[in-house]
Amino acid sequence: MSSSSLNHTATMADKETMVPDAERRRALIGSAVGSTIEWYDYFLYGTMSSIIFAKQFFPSDNALVSQMLSLATFALAFLIRPIGGVIFSHIGDRIGRKKTLAMTLSMMGLSTVLMGLLPNYAQIGILAPILLTVLRLLQGLALGGEWGGGVLLAVEYSPRKKRGFYGAVPQTGAVLGLALGNIITSLLSASMSEEAFLSWGWRIPFVGSIVLVMVGMWIRNAVGETPSFKKIQASRSSAPIPIKQTLQFHWREVLIAIGAKVVETSTFFLYATFTISYMMDHGFARATILNIVLVCALIAFPCMLFFGHLSDRIGRKKVFIGGSIAFMLWIFPYFWLLDQKSVGAAALAVGVGLGIIWSSYGAMIGTLLAEAFPPDIRYTGMSLGYQIGAALVGGPMPLIATALIAYYSGSYVPVVVFLVLCALVSIVAVGIARDRSGLPLDE
């Protein structure tokens, strides 16, 4: 090895040892906790859109119309997430990750609490769905900015050889937030009458979110700015207009990021949102469905950490593409098992699909996107690709699937075809991307 290579390796090692392990752990915990709270707030709406909002905020003579209107507001927030991503990532690339994350967590928490206090259609008429939709859009803005900052809080603090594992930790916030919401909803549903739950019990998880937000703010406040952003500040090399630089010089990476996001987001909302309404239509009890999703989300947590660690050993692309192929092989058996109307079969379907297969590429997406962009526009580039991908297929997925099944007289085959196409798009996108596993993050 040449002396220049040795010097470069030594320099990288020196930079890594400059960050104390205790500081790395604080950053990792702050990333995970904040991400879990944000996703709890965001997914709570998805759960309630399947079991509450259709009747209370979008009542009509046609149950399908009410359900689709409710799911449409769920999807609407995804359309505004790219705007939130651009706004908050600009702040994150200019003034820092930490300050931006405080803004997004506060906005998400306030929107969620107000949802829990909102009168329904029977009380204030058409104003109820309008206000609900406005609050949902604010949630979308907040999450649009939160995701990138939460991932960078972990990835930019990570040791080079553990970047996949560190990047998987904030991604577990999605399944932990989903699980937390389902735990609270299931406990409330089991501890009170159906009438009480539908009348006021559903509001408790929304209003109680304020406690979680305060805990998250307290934990994140103890975490300093990331090493990557400190270097930008020290060298005064921040991009004047990050979105301009991103679109002018890194548009290819943005397109790859959008493509990579397609399978991750479409399949997550297949399991987390559409499956709830699909199983209810097939006669499953609400508590049973929530418990199945809860257990499978908890299974996903260690699986995601495993796949993050595995990517540090064999590379991100192999793990991501392998998981996408596994999904294409599983999607037909998934629906077939749900149609057996058996609790055991349904648990197997969601357990393998969400708990294991989705975890493989779900754990990868944050690190994969962070590695694709330089530090001065990293927040902007990864947020833009991630949020546009989510807006294109993630939010609309439950609505698209519901419409396809209704149009094709209850057949799930068109939904399977749609999801297989999503997987193929991501396989192509990740296949042409450069695998930067193990390489320096900022050089």
Side-chain angles (χ1 to χ4, degrees):
M1 182 180 291
S2 67
S3 59
S4 60
S5 298
L6 287 170
N7 289 335
H8 178 73
T9 302
T11 300
M12 291 306 304
D14 291 342
K15 288 180 180 178
E16 288 196 357
T17 56
M18 287 172 62
V19 181
D21 289 340
E23 192 173 345
R24 292 190 199 275
R25 286 194 295 270
R26 281 198 300 271
L28 202 57
I29 293 170
S31 173
V33 171
S35 177
T36 299
I37 294 168
E38 291 268 8
W39 284 113
Y40 163 80
D41 287 350
Y42 198 76
F43 289 149
L44 188 60
Y45 188 100
T47 300
M48 295 303 179
S49 69
S50 297
I51 61 181
I52 294 291
F53 293 155
K55 296 177 182 178
Q56 295 222 11
F57 289 87
F58 303 95
S60 73
D61 295 332
N62 189 317
L64 177 62
V65 171
S66 294
Q67 186 65 49
M68 292 189 70
L69 285 172
S70 180
L71 291 174
T73 62
F74 175 76
L76 192 60
F78 286 79
L79 299 179
I80 205 166
R81 274 171 56 175
I83 299 174
V86 170
I87 294 172
F88 288 110
S89 62
H90 176 87
I91 299 171
D93 278 330
R94 293 287 297 168
I95 71 170
R97 319 319 193 195
K98 181 178 178 178
K99 293 177 182 177
T100 308
L101 289 173
M103 297 178 196
T104 57
L105 189 56
S106 300
M107 180 184 289
M108 178 68 84
L110 178 62
S111 303
T112 304
V113 170
L114 291 176
M115 284 180 180
L117 301 174
L118 194 63
N120 62 23
Y121 189 93
Q123 295 168 314
I124 60 172
I126 192 65
L127 195 58
I130 292 174
L131 291 175
L132 182 67
T133 301
V134 170
L135 293 173
R136 179 60 177 169
L137 291 177
L138 289 177
Q139 281 191 328
L141 278 175
L143 190 65
E146 159 69 24
W147 177 82
V151 169
L152 292 185
L153 194 61
V155 170
E156 291 186 340
Y157 262 107
S158 66
R160 181 159 51 100
K161 294 182 179 180
K162 295 182 179 180
R163 202 156 60 225
F165 178 81
Y166 270 61
V169 170
Q171 286 301 103
T172 64
V175 292
L176 292 178
L178 177 65
L180 183 60
N182 279 8
I183 288 172
I184 295 174
T185 304
S186 294
L187 289 175
L188 289 171
S189 184
S191 62
M192 60 180 63
S193 67
E194 181 78 0
E195 181 182 0
F197 180 80
L198 294 176
S199 175
W200 57 269
W202 66 269
R203 298 178 180 274
I204 296 175
F206 287 89
V207 177
S209 171
I210 188 65
V211 177
L212 299 176
V213 170
M214 292 174 65
V215 171
M217 294 288 284
W218 175 69
I219 292 175
R220 279 188 170 176
N221 190 53
V223 181
E225 191 52 81
T226 70
S228 293
F229 190 77
K230 287 179 180 177
K231 293 178 199 173
I232 294 173
Q233 286 180 311
S235 62
R236 298 182 180 181
S237 58
S238 62
I241 308 176
I243 185 65
K244 179 181 178 182
Q245 271 88 334
T246 300
L247 295 178
Q248 185 174 359
F249 300 110
H250 300 280
W251 57 268
R252 181 178 180 273
E253 287 81 4
V254 171
L255 290 177
I256 289 173
I258 293 171
K261 177 64 177 171
V262 168
V263 69
E264 185 270 341
T265 190
S266 61
T267 57
F268 186 87
F269 289 103
L270 163 72
Y271 302 125
T273 302
F274 174 73
T275 293
I276 295 175
S277 58
Y278 186 83
M279 290 177 67
M280 287 182 69
D281 290 341
H282 282 65
F284 287 88
R286 180 178 65 240
T288 300
I289 302 169
L290 293 175
N291 287 335
I292 288 174
V293 175
L294 162 63
V295 171
C296 296
L298 293 176
I299 291 172
F301 174 72
C303 289
M304 293 181 77
L305 298 180
F306 166 76
F307 284 118
H309 173 71
L310 182 64
S311 77
D312 286 323
R313 296 180 63 84
I314 68 172
R316 323 279 182 239
K317 290 176 64 171
K318 290 179 181 178
V319 176
F320 193 104
I321 292 175
S324 300
I325 293 172
F327 167 75
M328 291 193 295
L329 297 174
W330 183 246
I331 186 60
F332 259 117
Y334 176 80
F335 276 104
W336 181 85
L337 286 167
L338 292 184
D339 279 1
Q340 303 311 300
K341 300 181 180 180
S342 160
V343 173
L348 175 63
V350 183
V352 174
L354 173 62
I356 300 175
I357 295 176
W358 177 85
S359 297
S360 61
Y361 45 81
M364 289 301 95
I365 191 75
T367 310
L368 195 69
L369 269 56
E371 291 176 330
F373 298 94
D376 58 330
I377 56 95
R378 181 174 293 141
Y379 202 147
T380 299
M382 63 186 294
S383 294
L384 191 63
Y386 184 95
Q387 303 302 350
I388 290 177
L392 289 175
V393 292
M397 190 277 152
L399 184 61
I400 292 170
T402 301
L404 286 173
I405 287 178
Y407 185 81
Y408 288 97
S409 305
S411 173
Y412 58 74
V413 174
V415 180
V416 170
V417 173
F418 168 72
L419 290 168
V420 167
L421 290 175
C422 288
L424 288 173
V425 168
S426 293
I427 288 172
V428 171
V430 175
I432 63 176
R434 182 188 177 197
D435 196 332
R436 300 192 73 249
S437 308
L439 297 177
L441 182 62
D442 295 333
E443 297 183 12

